[in-house]
Amino acid sequence: MSTSGGQVVIGATSEITRAVALELARSGGRFVIAGRDTDELAIVAEDLRVRTKAMITAIELDVTAYETHAAFVDACFAALGPIDGIVVGQGYLADQQAAASDWSLARQMIDVNYASAVSLINLFADRLAAEGHGYICGISSVAGDRGRQSNFFYGSTKAAFSTYLAGLRNRLFSKGVDVITVKPGFVDTSMTWGSLDPRSPLVASPERVAKDIARAIRWRKNTTYTPWFWSPIMLAVRLIPEPIFKRLSL
């Protein structure tokens, strides 16, 4: 992986993306980290400076304020010069039943998980393609692999994001830009607090997931499930015939 330019980590105040920033910054380099909560972002930036050799610039970003995206991208290039790659990891999970009756919650998942990510990535993609190098890493989810009655609102936003990344990967391949799709399974974070048993062998820590993401970026893998066992699990889920699948309480 090239380290001549800087790297941008969006959504750096979430547990997974913050851990990814730490993994990437361990070997030094220049980084922009972005998030909406300025106080928390400042804490994350200082933590990274203390624990790594990297140069960290924190930039406030509300991902759903679409009118600020172009200025944000310009600010990243101004702070870093050439950019090697970006990690897009913002996410929002609303209760399924609540989202079914409150459109504002469903809309927020669409905006945060899909629409804002596409808006930001489109801007970076054009710049990276013009420079002929770099990577774009999008953190999606196994929830997008098949619509399940328990979380299809959230899952549909991740399915859309995964499909977007797949198409972008094909478009940018000839331009020298690698597009990496990461699909975490159950992760013990504040977003999933209360809905998962952290003692379950299926539940991973943000740190474990971050190591897999950093490895996927280094190896420029097209799609990575993390932890690895979610790949065969989701293959089995996708292969269940629809007449059977719709009768399952998944």
Side-chain angles (χ1 to χ4, degrees):
M1 181 175 64
S2 171
T3 56
S4 59
Q7 297 174 78
V8 179
V9 180
I10 298 172
T13 54
S14 71
E15 290 95 334
I16 294 176
T17 318
R18 175 177 181 170
V20 171
L22 177 60
E23 284 297 318
L24 295 177
R26 290 188 188 279
S27 57
R30 292 173 289 116
F31 289 82
V32 163
I33 62 169
R36 185 177 62 177
D37 186 332
T38 54
D39 292 338
E40 184 65 22
L41 191 65
I43 293 171
V44 173
E46 185 59 26
D47 179 66
L48 291 173
R49 294 186 189 106
V50 170
R51 299 173 66 182
T52 75
K53 300 178 180 179
M55 297 177 60
I56 308 295
T57 300
I59 300 179
E60 179 185 2
L61 174 66
D62 179 350
V63 296
T64 61
Y66 297 97
E67 70 279 4
T68 68
H69 287 185
F72 169 74
V73 173
D74 288 341
C76 289
F77 278 91
L80 299 174
I83 289 179
D84 281 333
I86 67 168
V87 177
V88 179
Q90 69 263 31
Y92 175 67
L93 172 63
D95 177 78
Q96 172 76 15
Q97 291 185 342
S101 59
D102 184 345
W103 167 244
S104 67
L105 295 175
R107 176 63 185 270
Q108 188 171 356
M109 284 192 282
I110 293 169
D111 280 339
V112 174
N113 299 340
Y114 177 63
S116 68
V118 171
S119 174
L120 287 162
I121 290 174
N122 280 347
L123 294 170
F124 278 105
D126 288 342
R127 301 280 285 267
L128 294 177
E131 295 181 357
H133 73 94
Y135 75 84
I136 295 168
C137 176
I139 302 178
S140 186
S141 172
V142 299
D145 276 19
R146 190 167 188 179
R148 295 181 292 117
Q149 61 176 290
S150 61
N151 71 344
F152 63 85
F153 279 101
Y154 174 78
S156 66
T157 65
K158 291 301 188 177
F161 189 36
S162 293
T163 300
Y164 165 78
L165 291 171
L168 187 69
R169 178 160 48 247
N170 293 337
R171 181 172 79 83
L172 295 184
F173 174 74
S174 63
K175 306 294 185 181
V177 180
D178 296 295
V179 178
I180 301 149
T181 304
V182 179
K183 297 182 178 184
F186 300 143
V187 186
D188 185 18
T189 67
S190 59
M191 191 170 73
T192 60
W193 187 86
S195 62
L196 299 175
D197 181 354
R199 298 167 297 180
S200 169
L202 294 179
V203 178
S205 68
E207 291 74 21
R208 177 176 178 180
V209 169
K211 290 181 184 297
D212 288 342
I213 294 173
R215 187 179 302 111
I217 291 172
R218 287 195 299 270
W219 293 354
R220 295 297 202 263
K221 298 187 69 174
N222 294 326
T223 301
T224 291
Y225 287 84
T226 173
W228 66 269
F229 51 73
W230 282 102
S231 179
I233 289 174
M234 296 315 298
L235 174 61
V237 169
R238 293 194 302 273
L239 290 176
I240 299 172
E242 191 68 15
I244 297 173
F245 189 75
K246 66 185 182 182
R247 289 176 168 81
L248 301 177
S249 298
L250 294 177

